[in-house]
Amino acid sequence: MESSKNLKIAEIKGEVMEINVKAKILSLSKREVQSAKGPLTYHYGLIGDETGVMPFTAWSFPTTVRENDVYEISKCYTKSYKEKLRIYFDNRTEFKLLTETMEVKRTYKYYEIKDLNLNDKFVTVEGLVTSENRREYEKDGEKKEVFQYILKDQTATIPLSSFGKKLEAGKYARIEGARLDEFNGYYRLNMSDKANVEYINIDLKDEEKIMDIVNLRGAVGGITVTGFIINMGEKSGLVVRCSECNLKVDDIRCSDHPEAPLKYDIFTYFTIDDGTDYLQVSAGFEALKEIANINREYLDNPQRPPLKKEVKEKIESALTHHALKIKGNLRINNMGISLRSTEISAITEDLVKSLKTEINGGSN
Ligand SMILES: [Zn+2]
């Protein structure tokens, strides 16, 4: 009779035929593929124990198995898939639910902020810790605190909330075990007081990095792109807002605040192309005021209210017919990725070329 071997995750080396592990299901997903015999459903995810974490694939899986539960899993095997060792469960594998808790030792892959993506939610990141903001909240009747920062590396920025642990603002930190998620179209990082923080002596170079649009991935901030406008949004120009709720008013008054005075504002959206791809951009007053030469006095002048046509022309002539440099934050939705700009400036075509040369390593 064959007996299978009890192994810790870190002890699993190479392809083995039959082993038993005691592990926690860390993540669990389902996928359907087409096989020669018709549609085939399998499960995959991560399991871990005190020694490490490993990806798994389950060809057969009890429906009672849940994320965050600990199991004694017998008769599984390992195989290399895409040069990475995976553990496999099939119809001989047995799952026995255990009531004990387990502290899993995780390893977190390092990402530059621009490369963060929701396929890998627990990560290691580095960056300058900036702009501290402390907030209190209550959880289960207990007073807790969260510290909010913007983390900035040489590629991008991202908001970071640290629950219960104050970081050293102004220092460059390496954070292991931050969790990435998306809120309202923007990425953000959260960390608990268990995340490992180490301060490194690195001077972040204050140089602007122009990104190729084709390389933009996640909804991170502090991004700079260049390009030409290839399409101007038709509803760009003067907008009217309620002074109470700041929402756009299409009628002559806000339906929620009919008494509130209205105020003029500007807004535009357009598509730019930098030769690698195109990108949807939106911009409000702050991003437009300088380049379109429109100030508050112009918009708020009671003697001469701004004219729709004039504003539209001012914005269009300022933005078209030359290259633009646009800074802002990327946002993601079901239409794809777009840029909420915070700053727009005009640049010469020569500068665009020299910038491109720089990014490409100066090799052309
Ligand atoms: Zn209103």
Side-chain angles (χ1 to χ4, degrees):
M1 197 187 137
E2 56 179 329
S3 69
S4 33
K5 219 171 163 185
N6 296 315
L7 288 180
K8 295 278 182 205
I9 298 287
E11 293 170 340
I12 303 174
K13 302 264 188 274
E15 301 191 349
V16 282
M17 282 311 291
E18 189 156 300
I19 49 169
N20 307 327
V21 293
K22 195 160 91 178
K24 189 176 187 173
I25 306 282
L26 301 173
S27 70
L28 179 58
S29 305
K30 195 162 90 173
R31 191 162 191 185
E32 195 170 280
V33 287
Q34 292 303 323
S35 77
K37 293 174 190 162
L40 174 73
T41 303
Y42 69 92
H43 290 80
Y44 64 97
L46 291 172
I47 60 165
D49 66 9
E50 315 83 354
T51 68
V53 174
M54 199 170 197
F56 73 82
T57 298
W59 300 117
S60 162
F61 209 51
T63 53
T64 49
V65 172
R66 279 175 210 284
E67 251 176 48
N68 293 319
D69 280 344
V70 179
Y71 295 89
E72 201 173 283
I73 309 169
S74 45
K75 294 178 187 159
C76 30
Y77 63 98
T78 63
K79 246 179 118 113
S80 275
Y81 177 72
K82 287 185 180 167
E83 288 167 37
K84 205 172 171 184
L85 203 60
R86 291 179 86 83
I87 193 157
Y88 286 83
F89 309 140
D90 62 17
N91 54 12
R92 301 173 318 125
T93 307
E94 288 159 21
F95 289 81
K96 189 178 156 204
L97 179 66
L98 303 176
T99 50
E100 62 198 80
T101 56
M102 182 180 271
E103 196 70 47
V104 172
K105 187 189 174 202
R106 287 174 177 268
T107 49
Y108 308 98
K109 196 176 155 194
Y110 168 73
Y111 286 89
E112 289 192 314
I113 293 174
K114 74 171 168 58
D115 293 328
L116 289 169
N117 67 85
L118 294 174
N119 293 326
D120 204 352
K121 287 184 180 154
F122 288 91
V123 294
T124 295
V125 286
E126 287 180 7
L128 187 67
V129 179
T130 67
S131 72
E132 183 173 274
N133 182 26
R134 180 182 170 275
R135 208 163 53 80
E136 277 184 9
Y137 65 102
E138 257 185 51
K139 196 185 173 189
D140 307 325
E142 241 183 286
K143 206 171 256 179
K144 309 244 181 187
E145 55 185 351
V146 56
F147 300 91
Q148 295 165 317
Y149 306 93
I150 301 289
L151 192 69
K152 179 183 197 303
D153 73 2
Q154 55 180 342
T155 68
T157 65
I158 189 167
L160 166 71
S161 292
S162 176
F163 290 83
K165 186 176 196 160
K166 187 177 155 78
L167 301 183
E168 291 184 39
K171 288 200 172 170
Y172 198 91
R174 180 180 175 87
I175 301 163
E176 288 174 15
R179 187 170 56 83
L180 179 72
D181 71 1
E182 182 229 298
F183 180 71
N184 202 16
Y186 297 100
Y187 282 4
R188 58 183 188 181
L189 289 169
N190 296 296
M191 56 175 275
S192 73
D193 53 2
K194 290 197 194 87
N196 186 38
V197 181
E198 209 180 304
Y199 295 97
I200 318 170
N201 202 359
I202 287 183
D203 262 332
L204 190 64
K205 274 182 249 152
D206 200 20
E207 62 186 25
E208 202 164 48
K209 200 164 181 179
I210 314 283
M211 300 280 294
D212 278 353
I213 293 174
V214 71
N215 290 332
L216 302 177
R217 291 276 175 278
V220 295
I223 294 289
T224 304
V225 294
T226 57
F228 287 91
I229 292 189
I230 53 169
N231 183 36
M232 196 81 194
E234 252 171 59
K235 287 178 182 163
S236 289
L238 194 67
V239 290
V240 181
R241 295 187 191 281
C242 165
S243 60
E244 186 78 26
C245 64
N246 214 34
L247 287 180
K248 223 172 108 182
V249 175
D250 289 322
D251 211 340
I252 49 165
R253 59 179 70 90
C254 174
S255 51
D256 290 333
H257 313 96
E259 305 294 321
L262 301 178
K263 59 177 187 184
Y264 288 108
D265 195 9
I266 49 175
F267 174 79
T268 185
Y269 58 102
F270 51 83
T271 310
I272 61 158
D273 195 315
D274 71 349
T276 69
D277 209 341
Y278 58 87
L279 178 69
Q280 193 75 30
V281 181
S282 63
F285 178 76
E286 282 305 314
L288 289 170
K289 60 181 181 188
E290 226 148 274
I291 188 166
N293 193 23
I294 295 177
N295 56 25
R296 269 278 143 223
E297 289 72 53
Y298 171 82
L299 292 176
D300 296 340
N301 185 354
Q303 265 75 53
R304 188 188 180 282
L307 301 167
K308 237 182 157 116
K309 190 163 173 282
E310 191 180 83
V311 169
K312 199 176 168 84
E313 276 170 11
K314 261 166 128 35
I315 294 174
E316 280 189 6
S317 67
L319 297 184
T320 50
H321 307 304
H322 49 76
L324 299 174
K325 185 170 82 179
I326 306 172
K327 292 185 191 183
N329 304 314
L330 293 170
R331 192 171 182 205
I332 221 160
N333 65 16
N334 49 12
M335 303 283 287
I337 205 158
S338 62
L339 186 73
R340 289 272 173 130
S341 65
T342 52
E343 205 183 311
I344 302 179
S345 52
I347 49 172
T348 64
E349 205 171 335
D350 288 348
L351 184 57
V352 180
K353 276 188 195 135
S354 73
L355 289 167
K356 290 272 173 235
T357 316
E358 231 170 82
I359 319 161
N360 298 329
S363 59
N364 56 347

